[in-house]
Each structure stands twice: as C-alpha cells, then as structure tokens.
Amino acid sequence: MLSINMEDVIGVLQTCKPYLIAFGVVLVLAIIAIIAASKLPKATRSLARGESVIAWPLASLPI
C-alpha cells in the first residue's frame, strides 16, 4: 500500500505557494472585472466579461 508522508505534502505545497497565490490574485481580479463590467453598455460589457474569463487561465500559464 502507498502511504502519504505529510512532510512531503507540506514541502510540495511550500514549493507551489507563490504560484497558488498568483493564481488566486488573478482570479479575484477577474471576478472584480466581471462585476465592474455591469456598468458598461451591453456590447462592451459582454466583451469585457469574455476577456476577463479568457485572461484568467492564460495568466496562470508559466512564463
């Protein structure tokens, strides 16, 4: 049977922490953009919402 060593799990999470933080920040910014777009005209609103939804996964790609 395989067992999970908690020290290894914590080490992997520590390694991934900067990426997870950046992913969360971009997600929050995308949600804010979607909410703020409600005050724009209809054509511009749908464009802004679509662009923010597309930008969120693209921002998570490593450079």
Side-chain angles (χ1 to χ4, degrees), residues 23-35:
F23 193 68
V25 168
V26 172
L27 174 63
V28 169
L29 290 175
I31 292 171
I32 290 171
I34 290 171
I35 293 171

Side-chain angles (χ1 to χ4, degrees), residues 46-59:
S46 63
L47 178 66
R49 286 182 177 169
E51 297 252 341
S52 65
V53 169
I54 292 171
W56 177 58
L58 289 178

Side-chain angles (χ1 to χ4, degrees), residues 1-62:
M1 300 240 36
L2 295 174
S3 64
I4 297 175
N5 188 354
M6 286 307 291
E7 293 173 4
D8 290 338
V9 173
I10 291 171
V12 169
L13 289 177
Q14 289 294 331
T15 303
C16 296
K17 187 176 13 177
Y19 299 106
L20 295 173
I21 290 171
F23 193 68
V25 168
V26 172
L27 174 63
V28 169
L29 290 175
I31 292 171
I32 290 171
I34 290 171
I35 293 171
S38 65
K39 297 183 180 188
L40 296 172
K42 187 175 182 180
T44 310
R45 177 177 50 226
S46 63
L47 178 66
R49 286 182 177 169
E51 297 252 341
S52 65
V53 169
I54 292 171
W56 177 58
L58 289 178
S60 66
L61 295 175

